[in-house]
Amino acid sequence: MTTIAVAIICKTPAPGTSKTRLSPPLRPEECAEISACFIADLAGTIAGLASDGDAVGCAVYTPLGSETELRRILPEDFALVPQGDGDLGRRLDRGIRDLLALGHAGAILVNSDSPTLPRSILRAAVDALRAGAGAVISPALDGGYTLVGLSEPCSRLFEDIPWSTGTVFRLTLERAREIGLPVAVIDPWYDVDDAGTYGILEDELAGRPPSVARAGWSAQDAPRTRAFVRRRQMVEPA
């Protein structure tokens, strides 16, 4: 198989467990709603990419038993692959292994917190793996990464990384150099994790590019997220 699996690594949205760092300013039920918007919009971008014929959309999800709820916000042809146990590194490693085991030529895991992630970044990631890169990574504004992909399993890349810190991207590149893994670094993007980055999202949807946008930035359509933000802005006190 010559396709690249492009998978959202996600938790099926539910109040009290989804996007909790966005509360405040959002209420718990709004956090679950916007999480569903993020996943649906990102899935739509991936589905558009998959229409080129060299990529396949997937979700690497948790928890088991939530498949029916998750299916409601994903394209029908997305494959569902359960997440493994352990910290983020173990889950990333397991997700990539499981996707590669399906016969794909490469696997890319995309975080579920970037609803406006440009299709051009995903295209560059797919192209890099198809061109022979061992790994591909898109740095995030907070020092982590927005996506990571591999052409072969590599557990060591994800071991002993201090997840949820501003050093994740830098230390991952250092690890790749240590083990001799060639990495293609593509354009950066941002995650919507808290009130500050929610403000960046509002600005972007209003036509103001985020600081990570490259010259010639073109907005990526995120219709469900846009509708959520507009609806909330209409009811906010002046």
Side-chain angles (χ1 to χ4, degrees):
M1 191 183 299
T2 59
T3 51
I4 305 297
V6 182
I8 306 170
I9 184 163
C10 61
K11 178 187 295 184
T12 301
T17 64
S18 298
K19 304 300 297 171
T20 55
R21 290 174 59 197
L22 281 174
S23 179
L26 275 59
R27 301 187 305 273
E29 60 271 22
E30 290 179 316
C31 291
E33 182 181 354
I34 200 171
S35 178
C37 293
F38 287 2
I39 294 169
D41 285 336
L42 182 56
T45 303
I46 293 171
L49 180 78
S51 68
D52 294 341
D54 58 356
V56 173
C58 311
V60 175
Y61 73 98
T62 191
L64 286 172
S66 65
E67 296 81 7
T68 299
E69 292 84 353
L70 187 58
R71 279 283 180 206
R72 295 192 182 107
I73 56 176
L74 292 175
E76 291 183 0
D77 59 352
F78 263 47
L80 295 186
V81 177
Q83 285 185 35
D85 297 325
D87 68 3
L88 179 58
R90 289 177 62 88
R91 287 182 281 126
L92 290 172
D93 178 45
R94 170 70 180 275
I96 285 176
R97 287 179 179 276
D98 286 348
L99 292 168
L100 291 173
L102 295 175
H104 297 290
I108 297 168
L109 294 179
V110 188
N111 83 77
S112 62
D113 302 328
S114 300
T116 61
L117 180 67
R119 177 172 166 172
S120 60
I121 290 179
L122 292 171
R123 168 45 60 194
V126 168
D127 289 347
L129 288 185
R130 286 178 56 83
V136 63
I137 191 167
S138 166
L141 183 63
D142 62 5
Y145 46 74
T146 300
L147 64 81
V148 62
L150 291 168
S151 57
E152 298 287 345
C154 184
S155 299
R156 182 60 183 147
L157 186 67
F158 304 110
E159 292 175 350
D160 304 320
I161 299 292
W163 304 107
S164 301
T165 71
T167 63
V168 170
F169 172 67
R170 175 177 61 82
L171 293 177
T172 300
L173 288 188
E174 290 179 3
R175 176 64 50 73
R177 286 193 291 269
E178 169 192 313
I179 61 180
L181 177 66
V183 179
V185 178
I186 56 177
D187 285 352
W189 203 243
Y190 71 99
D191 307 338
V192 183
D193 289 321
D194 53 24
T197 46
Y198 184 83
I200 295 174
L201 175 67
E202 289 183 310
D203 285 345
E204 185 192 358
L205 294 176
R208 295 182 289 275
S211 62
V212 293
R214 300 297 195 191
W217 167 81
S218 179
Q220 178 65 50
D221 190 27
R224 287 189 54 165
T225 301
R226 183 184 297 277
F228 174 93
V229 170
R230 282 180 176 170
R231 187 167 63 250
R232 188 170 179 276
Q233 287 172 332
M234 289 177 64
V235 301
E236 283 182 321

